[in-house]
Amino acid sequence: MQKNQYRGVKKFSSNSQFSIKKMINIPKGTKDLLPQISHKWHEIEGIAREVARVFNCHEIRTPIFEHTELFTRSLGDEAEVVSKQMYSFLDKANRSLTLKPEGTAPVARSFVENNLEQYGLPQKMYYISPIFRYENPQAGRLRQHHQFGIEFYGSSSPYADAEVILLAKTFLSKCGVTANLTLNNIGCAECRTEYNNALKKQLEKQKDCLCGLCQNRLNKNTLRILDCKSPNCKNIIKDAPKISKFVCECCKEHFKKLTDILKNEKINFTIDDNVVRGLDYYSKTVFEFAGNDGMAICGGGRYDGMVEELGGKQTPCVGFGVGIERILLAAEKEGREFEQKTVDYYIASLSPEQLDYCFDLSQKLRAKGISCEVDLMNRSLKSQLKFADKIKAKYSIVVGEDELKSGQLKQKDMRTGEVTEFKL
């Protein structure tokens, strides 16, 4: 055995009756959702579902893995997600499958495969799903993280863009997160081809000054250089041509109408030519919400070519994805408190002889929708009441021989100490 091979292993003496077991740790970049914090997730997910309901969006659930080709075709072979971050594997039939690295392509696949157009357009859908990317873990972004996503299918109207942005804004607000909206118009495929050539030509002049990642992007995904966080690259792209100079009249009109709608709805925003999003499928509108500390929380835009790319009819689409882990981080930074639901009653037995009665009473209360707990650990009365306090039970009831004879029970308010007598 190599030295330090088993970290966290408890050692036993040679005459111990126990064998040494290797402790299995959680994989890097993943996190357990513990019972002590799951209520925060429930609250955020509840807000997501309620906001989606108000905007008449319906849930869609796609498999946790898809054929690898779905992502290489929709995201582009040269996208960083595809080339570096996907968890792909061969199954027993030698088919290449991938844990989904983003939620939009699977929804598009489902839209085409299940002919969702037959149910009328627009189709307004949402998902809450784990997402898998092999990258260095960072604040609010793990190798398995979770997203709330919105997908609108069928409308090319700027009002659809505005509705998606307003939905995101509403969700963030209800989560207690202050976020700043940034927009850009990256044009249609034709606009971007012309711009991409001009940008590449300009950046080729300073290729040696770009970071290693951007030197690679120059020939594969030039637009992504605009999104680089390297101070040196940021300085170089200051003098790069702006995409706004290359968009066609149709794309300009679409973006102008969108900004007019947002102004009319009193939504503050800034326009930034460097917002391009990280995936190749975006067109026309792209947007991001970031916290006051600059951390990106939510991003999305329009992707009118995806359905056609996956074998369906040309169908305009717009949507966004927001990381739930990042929402929780941002909300807690702003002092958002998440109320943890507690048990209504703890029913304590004075001695083991009363446990049958306590257990039966707990079942009757639960049948009425009242949450309760009874002793399952053979504790003393004192320990039972300590545990009731630890789990923050609202009320406690102590059942002894006298209570069984009289049928009179007493409940104690665990917060105020007030005692109330009642008969079942």
Side-chain angles (χ1 to χ4, degrees):
M1 183 188 298
Q2 292 181 348
K3 189 177 181 181
N4 297 329
Q5 182 180 353
Y6 299 145
R7 289 187 301 166
V9 176
K10 184 175 181 179
K11 294 183 178 179
F12 298 95
S13 62
S14 58
N15 61 354
S16 171
Q17 60 178 315
F18 301 104
S19 61
I20 297 177
K21 297 284 188 180
K22 177 185 176 183
M23 186 174 79
I24 302 173
N25 296 320
I26 194 169
K28 181 180 178 181
T30 62
K31 215 169 192 180
D32 294 317
L33 176 55
L34 302 176
Q36 291 73 22
I37 61 171
S38 59
H39 65 284
K40 300 178 182 181
W41 287 69
H42 294 163
E43 190 167 337
I44 295 298
E45 290 170 2
I47 292 169
R49 294 182 192 282
E50 176 57 19
V51 171
R53 183 194 68 80
V54 169
F55 280 78
N56 193 35
C57 300
H58 302 277
E59 185 176 15
I60 183 168
R61 300 188 188 188
T62 59
I64 206 166
F65 57 87
E66 299 269 1
H67 290 291
T68 301
E69 184 188 3
L70 172 67
F71 302 110
T72 57
R73 194 194 297 184
S74 61
L75 309 185
D77 288 330
E78 304 304 333
E80 190 173 344
V81 172
V82 173
S83 62
K84 293 184 178 180
Q85 297 175 350
M86 294 204 313
Y87 280 95
S88 299
F89 59 94
L90 296 177
D91 69 4
K92 292 183 178 181
N94 211 36
R95 292 167 295 209
S96 181
L97 302 173
T98 296
L99 298 178
K100 57 184 174 185
E102 59 95 42
T104 297
V107 174
R109 188 268 309 149
S110 182
F111 179 86
V112 175
E113 186 172 353
N114 295 290
N115 190 24
L116 295 186
E117 185 181 0
Q118 68 179 304
Y119 300 107
L121 296 175
Q123 282 289 309
K124 298 163 71 175
M125 298 169 279
Y126 78 92
Y127 61 83
I128 298 174
S129 174
I131 299 297
F132 302 87
R133 292 192 186 181
Y134 188 85
E135 56 186 338
N136 287 327
Q138 52 186 293
R141 179 60 59 86
L142 302 171
R143 288 179 177 177
Q144 177 184 319
H145 60 278
H146 300 78
Q147 280 190 0
F148 165 48
I150 289 290
E151 314 283 345
F152 281 16
Y153 280 63
S155 174
S156 60
S157 168
Y159 284 97
D161 302 39
E163 190 166 306
V164 164
I165 290 170
L166 286 165
L167 195 161
K169 180 74 172 175
T170 303
F171 170 68
L172 296 173
S173 252
K174 287 186 177 293
C175 289
V177 174
T178 304
N180 305 304
L181 172 62
T182 306
L183 300 172
N184 194 18
N185 178 11
I186 62 171
C188 57
E190 290 76 16
C191 303
R192 270 203 322 283
T193 298
E194 187 180 350
Y195 173 65
N196 200 63
N197 292 336
L199 180 63
K200 185 178 178 182
K201 185 177 179 180
Q202 174 70 23
L203 294 178
E204 283 278 8
K205 299 173 184 177
Q206 302 182 69
K207 179 179 178 180
D208 294 339
C209 299
L210 295 171
C211 70
L213 184 58
C214 285
Q215 287 182 22
N216 189 50
R217 286 170 173 168
L218 191 59
N219 293 316
K220 295 180 177 180
N221 196 345
T222 312
L223 276 178
R224 288 287 283 126
I225 296 175
L226 300 178
D227 201 32
C228 183
K229 302 299 186 287
S230 161
N232 195 45
C233 292
K234 278 186 174 182
N235 189 52
I236 291 171
I237 62 176
K238 283 180 182 177
D239 299 323
K242 303 300 181 185
I243 196 167
S244 54
K245 307 292 184 184
F246 292 80
V247 294
C248 64
E249 287 304 314
C250 180
C251 292
K252 284 180 182 177
E253 288 175 14
H254 182 99
F255 193 68
K256 173 67 166 56
K257 182 61 180 175
L258 169 61
T259 55
D260 287 346
I261 296 168
L262 294 177
K263 288 174 184 174
N264 189 53
E265 295 298 325
K266 308 293 190 295
I267 301 297
N268 295 324
F269 61 87
T270 57
I271 298 173
D272 185 348
D273 280 321
N274 293 331
V275 174
V276 294
R277 304 298 300 145
L279 301 173
D280 290 353
Y281 53 63
Y282 284 107
S283 59
K284 293 187 179 177
T285 306
V286 290
F287 65 89
E288 290 182 350
F289 283 95
N292 290 330
D293 59 359
M295 182 175 72
I297 299 170
C298 170
R302 185 165 280 282
Y303 40 97
D304 291 343
M306 178 174 286
V307 171
E308 190 174 14
E309 181 65 33
L310 296 179
K313 300 176 184 176
Q314 201 285 322
T315 306
C317 312
V318 60
F320 70 78
V322 52
I324 295 177
E325 285 88 348
R326 290 202 169 184
I327 284 288
L328 285 165
L329 276 177
E332 289 178 338
K333 278 181 182 177
E334 296 197 38
R336 169 68 183 264
E337 294 184 0
F338 296 88
E339 183 180 357
Q340 186 166 14
K341 291 184 179 179
T342 57
V343 67
D344 294 321
Y345 284 91
Y346 186 92
I347 306 169
S349 54
L350 194 59
S351 66
E353 287 73 29
Q354 290 87 44
L355 186 54
D356 282 345
Y357 180 85
C358 294
F359 188 82
D360 184 59
L361 176 58
S362 73
Q363 299 311 307
K364 289 175 179 175
L365 291 174
R366 289 166 180 162
K368 298 286 186 183
I370 299 170
S371 65
C372 54
E373 186 68 274
V374 293
D375 180 36
L376 301 176
M377 304 298 293
N378 197 27
R379 291 184 170 104
S380 68
L381 177 62
K382 183 179 179 181
S383 295
Q384 287 180 68
L385 295 177
K386 276 187 176 180
F387 184 70
D389 190 54
K390 188 172 187 177
I391 63 174
K392 296 181 170 58
K394 295 176 184 175
Y395 300 93
S396 63
I397 296 173
V398 177
V399 178
E401 190 175 335
D402 292 344
E403 285 76 19
L404 290 182
K405 285 180 181 177
S406 66
Q408 292 286 126
L409 299 176
K410 294 177 181 178
Q411 69 174 30
K412 178 181 178 180
D413 188 316
M414 298 293 284
R415 289 158 294 184
T416 66
E418 181 183 359
V419 176
T420 307
E421 192 169 317
F422 66 94
K423 192 175 183 71
L424 281 179

